[in-house]
Amino acid sequence: MSVPETKPTVLVLTALALEYAAVRAHVEERQERVHPGNGTFVEVGRLPGSPWQVAVAELGEGARNTAALTASLIGWLRPRAVLFVGVAGGLKEDVGLGDVVVGTKVYGIHGGKVTAAGLQVRPEAWSGSHALLQAARSAVRDMTGPRVHFKPVATGDVVLADAGSRIARHVHEHYNDAVAFEMEGSGAAHAAHLEGRDALVVRGVSDHADAGKAAADAGGWQERAAARAAAVAVAVLRKYRLREGGSGGAGEEGAPARYDGDHIDFRGGTFHGPVVGKRVEGERP
């Protein structure tokens, strides 16, 4: 069965195969597509119980890679929203293994200036979309599964497996409200921001970003955390609603009509009904 082309699209991104599998399990009637320019594979399908067509992609690790590929996928698929879903290391004692963090904002931790006095931090941060955060807050009220935290997350281009490391101390000192550490969220958030899309990072905590990471991974916590993050992300999308006019560009296929003061814009849509107008000599009605 083909996927209806008129359904609005959301883009769900992952870094790892196990994260991709966790999201993919919720999507039905999947069709594989390949980006005509860079060869990125996506699966596009239907998310039951929602108005959305979902495009799922596995991009690999790293914020810069994620930013470039996210921007490219947005230009190709023209989604209304972008979610990054996966696992992360927990940074706080009250955030347990298997908990899910919905990123109220995402920090990029590597900006700064090194001087004789030391590192002067120049933080970058991207707030989660208000509409998606509201959908998330509504969704988790009815969930009986994982504990969900609405807190900032920190993104760095390192795997953090030592709570006493220089990077860990840097995050604790300068990004103290971050409760999870991951590697891709700032890239996805930055690309979505530049393209004017709603964006949200949803992470399941699979370790404590310390020396116990290897044991936690061996104990299956990555798979469990990814599954819980995917379940929360899906619940968010079932609550998330298309806003009037959407976030896509003019002429986007499937875009709803918009009222712009003196006219209604039906580009990309179909109008059934009478039209009242005035014909002016030499001009089209």
Side-chain angles (χ1 to χ4, degrees):
M1 181 180 295
S2 62
V3 178
E5 289 296 333
T6 57
K7 270 184 170 289
T9 299
V10 293
L11 178 60
V12 180
L13 304 173
T14 67
L16 307 175
L18 61 90
E19 298 166 343
Y20 184 90
V23 174
R24 186 178 190 261
H26 295 274
V27 181
E28 298 182 353
E29 301 171 18
R30 299 183 302 272
Q31 294 182 352
E32 193 171 75
R33 299 174 62 185
V34 183
H35 190 290
N38 60 38
T40 302
F41 280 72
V42 301
E43 282 189 293
V44 182
R46 181 175 61 86
L47 181 63
S50 85
W52 302 108
Q53 173 176 273
V54 176
V56 188
E58 177 188 345
L59 303 185
E61 297 176 340
R64 286 177 294 180
N65 175 69
T66 297
L69 292 176
T70 300
S72 183
L73 290 173
I74 290 173
W76 176 41
L77 298 169
R78 301 188 63 78
R80 304 302 175 91
V82 178
L83 275 71
F84 204 103
V85 180
V87 301
L91 298 175
K92 303 290 186 180
E93 292 183 358
D94 60 346
V95 178
L97 297 183
D99 287 3
V100 175
V101 179
V102 176
T104 53
K105 56 185 171 183
V106 183
Y107 292 122
I109 70 163
H110 289 300
K113 179 181 180 181
V114 177
T115 70
L119 176 64
Q120 297 176 347
V121 175
R122 295 178 175 177
E124 287 188 289
W126 297 263
S127 294
S129 155
H130 177 73
L132 284 169
L133 283 170
Q134 284 293 301
R137 294 183 189 278
S138 176
V140 301
R141 294 182 190 124
D142 299 322
M143 296 186 73
T144 58
R147 287 201 311 160
V148 180
H149 308 266
F150 288 83
K151 294 289 184 180
V153 301
T155 300
D157 277 322
V158 295
V159 175
L160 188 56
D162 180 0
S165 66
R166 182 180 298 177
I167 288 288
R169 294 196 302 271
H170 174 77
V171 173
H172 178 73
E173 180 179 354
H174 299 290
Y175 306 95
N176 188 256
D177 57 344
V179 304
F181 187 90
E182 46 92 82
M183 296 179 65
E184 295 83 26
S186 67
H190 183 59
H193 169 74
L194 291 178
E195 297 290 342
R197 264 51 178 186
D198 286 345
L200 193 66
V201 174
V202 181
R203 293 285 187 171
V205 175
S206 60
D207 60 76
H208 290 298
D210 59 13
K213 174 175 170 52
D217 291 351
W221 276 109
Q222 281 195 327
E223 289 79 4
R224 288 193 286 273
R228 292 176 185 181
V232 170
V234 165
V236 171
L237 290 178
R238 288 184 174 136
K239 287 282 187 175
Y240 179 57
R241 293 292 179 265
L242 184 66
R243 290 174 289 172
E244 184 177 354
S247 57
E252 179 175 348
E253 185 172 354
R258 299 195 307 275
Y259 178 70
D260 290 315
D262 294 327
H263 72 281
I264 299 176
D265 183 351
F266 286 102
R267 287 175 295 181
T270 304
F271 175 73
H272 300 280
V275 176
V276 178
K278 178 182 179 181
R279 183 182 294 273
V280 179
E281 187 67 28
E283 294 183 6
R284 299 181 64 184

